[in-house]
Amino acid sequence: MTTLKIGVIGCGSISKHRHLPEYAGNKYVEIAAVCDINEDRANLTAQQYKAKAFTDYRELLALEEIDAVSVCTPNALHAPISIDALNAGKHVLCEKPMATSKEEAEAMIAAAKENNRKLMIGHNQRFVPSHEKARELIKNGEIGKVFSFRTAFGHGGPEGWSADGRDSWFFKKEDAFIGAMGDLGVHKADLMRYILGEEVTEVAAFVDTVAKEGADVDDNAVCLLRTESGIMGSLAASWSYNKEDNATVIYGEKGVLRLEDHPEYSLIAQYKTGEVVNYELGKIQSNDEGGQTSSKVIDKFIDSIIGNTEPAVSGEEGYKSLKIVLGALESNESKTIVKLS
């Protein structure tokens, strides 16, 4: 049996609640090292998982026995740390958004190729059962030609999730680069590409700070997207929703698909004929109590290393979704519709 030794860089909430417990639950993994600039946090995490503790990620990367790392740091550090890790010969699972610019994303992809290492981006919404089923139904022509969609991801904000609460890096542009649009909107950008099986070619957006006093990143974004075949839709990302919304509705010539829009049925297919099919496929991954116990991201990353296969969400895939976010920022700044290359 292959055992991969893993290092986790960044010991905040996404590590604590997702990466570390999911690595611990994978039979092919040993958590060998953790790193955080907060020494107490690094030491407590190391003690919990019987791992080595570091406050400098470069020292962790210098360990020859480390096979792969998760990069769970503030957004501005995703690219530089990932590139250093790839150049050190480690496979990389990087949190989203993968980078703060096209240049950074391209450098990450190039480093993975040059070092023959896996680079995967943590877009977990692809692996939600209702989303996988919707993709299958659309691909099989169940709702015919898709005309439009609306999708949203919003909650009360990262202060209820982040290890540092209202003092979190999420609200600081120097560390985060972008707010709700990068935290939540990039997930939905990736999801719509995945479900529709098409690339987004045009973006128009309003991206603003309206709810979080003292934040210098956006907390609300509303985008209009057009795909290569002409499908039009809206995407909303917000840190101001009192109740979490993670719903998507897709409108086709033969019917409508409602995803994560009902408390019991994770997918509802409403057909033009009057037929309604309700699917109970399990709850979407959520910060709220009762969410899934596994996002599947870790397992798919490990499978790609062991099987030497393409990661489920490659660097190239992450880059295409990042381009939509960057396009939204450009559109908001220029007050124009932005065409994506």
Side-chain angles (χ1 to χ4, degrees):
M1 180 184 294
T2 301
T3 300
L4 297 175
K5 293 194 174 183
I6 302 296
V8 175
I9 302 172
C11 296
S13 290
I14 196 67
S15 294
K16 179 180 179 180
H17 297 291
R18 302 278 168 81
H19 288 249
L20 288 162
E22 291 185 29
Y23 277 129
N26 188 296
K27 64 183 180 180
Y28 300 112
V29 164
E30 175 191 338
I31 300 170
V34 298
C35 177
D36 198 283
I37 58 173
N38 182 317
E39 187 173 6
D40 289 340
R41 191 177 294 162
N43 287 333
L44 284 172
T45 305
Q47 289 172 16
Q48 182 179 357
Y49 290 98
K50 297 180 175 57
K52 296 176 182 177
F54 296 92
T55 55
D56 186 335
Y57 78 88
R58 296 174 187 84
E59 294 179 7
L60 184 153
L61 294 180
L63 297 176
E64 289 187 12
E65 66 265 29
I66 297 294
D67 297 298
V69 298
S70 272
V71 178
C72 303
T73 62
N75 299 337
L77 295 174
H78 285 175
I81 292 178
S82 293
I83 291 168
D84 283 350
L86 291 162
N87 287 337
K90 319 302 184 189
H91 301 288
V92 172
L93 170 59
C94 180
E95 266 301 326
K96 50 71 199 170
M98 68 182 288
T100 65
S101 68
K102 293 179 180 179
E103 291 77 15
E104 282 189 341
E106 289 168 353
M108 291 169 69
I109 293 167
K113 289 181 177 177
E114 289 166 6
N115 294 286
N116 193 26
R117 289 297 179 264
K118 309 297 180 186
L119 171 62
M120 179 167 162
I121 313 304
H123 286 297
N124 59 353
Q125 293 230 350
R126 293 186 177 211
F127 313 130
V128 174
S130 60
H131 296 164
E132 292 177 324
K133 185 64 177 179
R135 174 181 164 90
E136 176 189 320
L137 292 174
I138 290 170
K139 187 176 181 180
N140 292 342
E142 286 290 316
I143 63 168
K145 179 178 173 59
V146 175
F147 298 130
S148 63
F149 64 87
R150 56 183 170 89
T151 188
F153 195 178
H155 55 51
E159 63 265 46
W161 160 256
S162 173
D164 296 315
R166 192 60 181 81
D167 294 325
S168 172
W169 60 265
F170 277 98
F171 300 104
K172 302 168 185 175
K173 189 170 185 176
E174 182 179 0
D175 297 323
F177 160 65
I178 191 173
M181 189 59 200
D183 180 36
L184 307 178
V186 72
H187 268 315
K188 289 301 186 178
D190 186 75
L191 176 65
M192 296 318 301
R193 293 182 49 248
Y194 171 75
I195 287 180
L196 299 175
E198 294 190 17
E199 297 304 331
V200 172
T201 57
E202 294 179 273
V203 182
F206 293 104
V207 185
D208 207 349
T209 308
V210 297
K212 304 295 181 184
E213 291 185 11
D216 57 3
V217 293
D218 60 281
D219 54 32
N220 275 273
V222 178
C223 311
L224 296 179
L225 310 178
R226 188 198 296 269
T227 73
E228 54 194 329
S229 74
I231 301 170
M232 297 178 290
S234 65
L235 182 159
S238 177
W239 284 345
S240 65
Y241 292 2
N242 292 322
K243 181 176 175 56
E244 183 166 318
D245 183 1
N246 215 331
T248 299
V249 184
I250 300 169
Y251 302 90
E253 62 180 331
K254 297 180 184 178
V256 177
L257 300 179
R258 298 185 179 275
L259 292 69
E260 306 300 332
D261 197 32
H262 188 278
E264 183 178 357
Y265 304 118
S266 52
L267 171 60
I268 300 174
Q270 301 169 317
Y271 294 98
K272 193 174 181 180
T273 60
E275 179 188 8
V276 176
V277 180
N278 297 319
Y279 295 88
E280 292 184 71
L281 301 171
K283 285 191 68 173
I284 192 170
Q285 182 79 46
S286 170
N287 296 342
D288 297 336
E289 186 178 355
Q292 295 177 8
T293 56
S294 172
S295 68
K296 302 181 185 176
V297 170
I298 298 301
D299 289 347
K300 289 183 180 293
F301 176 54
I302 297 303
D303 287 348
S304 73
I305 297 172
I306 293 175
N308 193 26
T309 57
E310 182 78 358
V313 188
S314 66
E316 289 84 352
E317 281 292 290
Y319 183 23
K320 290 174 184 176
S321 298
L322 175 66
K323 283 181 179 179
I324 298 172
V325 170
L326 297 176
L329 293 181
E330 182 183 344
S331 172
N332 181 70
E333 185 70 23
S334 65
K335 305 304 178 189
T336 62
I337 296 173
V338 172
K339 294 183 181 296
L340 304 182
S341 58

